[in-house]
């Protein structure tokens, strides 16, 4: 049941993407959860989240980015330079943070030295930092510009009706992910955190109709699956980009630990937000994608993010929160300091871990800190 989700989550060019390409259809990658994937699905183009797994070495990433920057965009550039993303017919770069904004410049520059690594459709999709009326109007315009560019580049038409159908399909998957999240809040949890995270990440790289069908069958199977939560501490993992299941696996290698919730850049934090299925589809996507403010890149919304987190912690009966962020991630690194202060004050134990993105090279150090944290919350 989980094999297809694991395969999609742990490989860059997974079987679903291969099958899509073999059918002669286009694939476009995007780097940030603020890009409405529905636009591409409505155009019969496969949208896939660009990731940095399978990175070996960092000679290209270091050459164009330098040493003092988050390793996630460096891993993406490294993979692009090695030709791992040549299957993309297009790529969209978004300023989730300054490091990701620079990926646009560095990828284009590296393309002068490594021929063929810049996809034919290479687009910078801007996202405002505020949800005030002028920011929402700006974001709607950005979505319309993106739709226009896609139509012109690929020679197709994206109708409002096609957008609404794509929104409805994506909402179906979102409802299922929310159901999965609810199942994990129960006293008897039938799925490990590693399995659940693999299922969630797979949704960002598989054709949505295929994914939704598989997710429906998984939810049905969980009704009769025995619980795995007995005697374990219930943990939540939060923080920056994390699309690699290894960090959750590392936590759950401890026999008394179970991850029952996440609040990560990849995951239900974004995938669980519904989009209105009536009215202007562009306005509906803008209000949903920008309006939730779940990322610390959004100005003035910390109190809202704290309250959302507290509600999830209470719903899942969390014993402790593990905060992870990639080294040099200023956004999450700074906000974790505030969250640790406020959650600890509310009686919720927290552990902060700073790490490099990519292969877990310092697992010993992290495991030691996780074990010490588990000892603390077991007293």
């Amino acid at each position: 049941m989980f094999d297809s989700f694991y395969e999609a989550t742990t490989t860059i060019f997974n079987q679903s993407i291969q099958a899509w390409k073999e059918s002669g259809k286009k694939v476009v990658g995007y780097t940030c959860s603020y890009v409405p994937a529905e636009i591409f699905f409505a155009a019969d183009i496969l949208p896939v989240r660009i990731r940095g797994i399978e990175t070996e070495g960092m000679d290209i990433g270091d050459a164009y980015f330098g040493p003092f920057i988050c390793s996630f965009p460096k891993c993406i550039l490294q993979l692009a330079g090695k030709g791992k993303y040549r299957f993309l017919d297009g790529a969209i770069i978004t300023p989730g943070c300054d490091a990701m904004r620079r990926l646009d410049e560095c990828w284009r520059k590296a393309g002068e030295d490594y021929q063929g690594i810049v996809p034919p459709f290479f687009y910078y999709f801007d996202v405002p930092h505020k949800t005030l009326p002028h920011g929402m109007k700006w974001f709607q315009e950005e979505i319309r510009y993106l739709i226009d560019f896609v139509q012109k580049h690929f020679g197709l038409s994206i109708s409002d009706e096609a957008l609404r159908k794509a929104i409805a399909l994506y909402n179906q998957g979102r409802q299922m992910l929310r159901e999965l999240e609810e199942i994990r809040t129960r006293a008897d949890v039938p799925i490990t955190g590693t399995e659940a995270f693999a299922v969630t990440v797979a949704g960002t790289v598989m054709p949505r109709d295929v994914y939704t069908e598989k997710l429906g069958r998984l939810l049905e199977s969980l009704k009769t699956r025995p619980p795995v939560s007995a005697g374990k501490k219930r943990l939540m993992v939060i923080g920056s980009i994390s699309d690699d299941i290894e960090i959750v696996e590392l936590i759950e290698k401890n026999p008394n630990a179970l991850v029952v919730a996440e609040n990560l850049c990849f995951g239900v934090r974004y995938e669980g937000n519904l989009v209105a299925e009536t009215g202007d589809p562009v306005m509906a996507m803008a209000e949903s994608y920008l309006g939730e403010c779940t990322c610390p890149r959004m100005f003035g919304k910390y109190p809202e993010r704290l309250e959302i987190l507290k509600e999830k912690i209470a719903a899942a009966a969390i014993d402790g929160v593990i905060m992870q962020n990639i080294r040099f991630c200023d956004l999450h690194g700074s906000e974790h300091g505030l969250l640790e202060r406020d959650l600890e004050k509310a009686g919720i134990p927290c552990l902060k871990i700073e790490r490099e993105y990519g292969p877990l090279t310092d697992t010993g150090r992290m495991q030691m800190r996780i074990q010490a944290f588990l000892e603390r919350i077991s007293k």
Side-chain angles (χ1 to χ4, degrees), residues 69-372:
I69 200 162
C70 162
S71 43
F72 180 65
K74 291 168 70 171
C75 284
I76 291 177
L77 185 62
Q78 179 74 20
L79 292 175
K82 294 292 183 183
K84 289 274 190 175
Y85 278 117
R86 288 186 187 274
F87 65 87
L88 291 180
D89 300 287
I92 297 175
I93 311 299
T94 300
C97 61
D98 193 53
M100 293 306 293
R101 179 193 63 76
R102 290 181 58 196
L103 178 61
D104 179 271
E105 303 158 0
C106 292
W107 196 333
R108 291 178 192 272
K109 184 63 180 173
E112 297 175 8
D113 302 321
Y114 297 88
Q115 296 301 310
I117 69 165
V118 180
F121 177 82
F122 200 77
Y123 189 85
Y124 182 82
F125 180 68
D126 212 351
V127 179
H129 288 277
K130 292 185 177 180
T131 60
L132 295 172
H134 69 278
M136 195 59 75
K137 182 173 180 292
W138 172 6
F139 193 53
Q140 288 175 28
E141 290 174 354
E142 289 293 337
I143 292 175
R144 295 189 196 283
Y145 288 148
L146 175 59
I147 291 172
D148 286 345
F149 270 83
V150 171
Q151 291 180 137
K152 289 174 183 172
H153 180 87
F154 293 103
L156 47 80
S157 177
I158 302 173
S159 66
D160 284 358
E161 184 183 358
L163 284 173
R164 290 193 191 95
K165 284 183 179 176
I167 289 170
L169 177 63
Y170 272 71
N171 275 350
Q172 190 181 353
R174 291 175 178 127
Q175 293 278 18
M176 290 180 182
L177 285 171
R178 290 165 73 154
E179 184 178 343
L180 178 62
E181 188 179 36
E182 187 279 324
I183 289 171
R184 297 172 70 198
T185 66
R186 298 174 186 171
D188 291 330
V189 184
I191 184 170
T192 69
T194 306
E195 291 168 336
F197 193 49
V199 169
T200 306
V201 175
T204 66
V205 291
M206 293 174 72
R208 197 64 176 193
D209 49 350
V210 175
Y211 177 69
T212 303
E213 188 272 331
K214 290 181 181 295
L215 185 53
R217 284 195 283 126
L218 171 70
L219 290 173
E220 192 62 31
S221 74
L222 292 182
K223 293 178 180 176
T224 54
R225 202 174 193 222
V228 296
S229 51
K232 297 186 178 182
K233 289 297 175 184
R234 302 169 66 91
L235 302 174
M236 172 184 258
V237 180
I238 70 171
S240 62
I241 286 278
S242 183
D243 60 334
D244 193 335
I245 61 174
E246 284 189 6
I247 189 165
V248 184
E249 281 183 321
L250 185 71
I251 295 167
E252 293 190 331
K253 279 182 180 176
N254 297 285
N256 61 335
L258 183 70
V259 175
V260 297
E262 304 96 23
N263 196 50
L264 297 164
C265 184
F266 278 80
V268 76
R269 181 166 94 185
Y270 294 100
E271 293 292 322
N273 298 333
L274 297 177
V275 180
E277 297 181 23
T278 57
D280 180 356
V282 170
M283 189 179 296
M285 290 189 288
E287 289 178 347
S288 175
Y289 277 85
L290 189 69
E292 295 296 335
C293 295
T294 46
C295 177
R297 75 177 298 281
M298 301 304 293
F299 290 160
K301 296 291 181 179
Y302 172 73
E304 292 179 22
R305 290 194 288 274
L306 176 62
E307 286 309 308
I308 290 171
L309 202 54
K310 282 183 174 178
E311 288 173 9
K312 289 188 173 185
I313 289 169
I318 297 297
D319 295 306
V321 175
I322 296 180
M323 305 170 174
Q324 64 80 38
N325 67 267
I326 303 170
R327 194 162 292 137
F328 301 119
C329 178
D330 296 333
L331 294 174
H332 284 90
S334 301
E335 186 148 298
H336 283 175
L338 299 175
L339 289 172
E340 182 182 40
R341 177 196 66 188
D342 293 332
L343 293 179
E344 288 277 359
K345 193 183 295 181
I348 303 161
C350 298
L351 170 67
K352 283 197 301 181
I353 295 177
E354 191 174 61
R355 66 186 183 88
E356 289 291 354
Y357 178 86
L360 296 181
T361 55
D362 53 355
T363 53
R365 175 186 68 85
M366 287 200 293
Q367 187 62 277
M368 187 180 299
R369 296 197 61 203
I370 292 166
Q371 288 171 351

Side-chain angles (χ1 to χ4, degrees), residues 11-84:
T11 53
I12 291 289
F13 193 50
N14 65 60
Q15 292 178 10
S16 294
I17 298 175
Q18 290 182 45
W20 188 277
K21 290 291 289 186
E22 287 168 4
S23 70
K25 294 193 283 190
K26 306 293 186 185
V27 178
V28 168
Y30 60 99
T31 59
C32 179
S33 48
Y34 281 90
V35 176
E38 290 95 332
I39 293 172
F40 298 95
F41 203 82
D44 205 20
I45 295 172
L46 178 61
V48 299
R49 188 87 183 255
I50 298 177
R51 307 164 58 204
I53 59 170
E54 298 183 16
T55 306
E56 295 177 353
M58 198 63 85
D59 53 313
I60 299 173
D62 280 338
Y64 292 90
F65 269 110
F68 302 110
I69 200 162
C70 162
S71 43
F72 180 65
K74 291 168 70 171
C75 284
I76 291 177
L77 185 62
Q78 179 74 20
L79 292 175
K82 294 292 183 183
K84 289 274 190 175

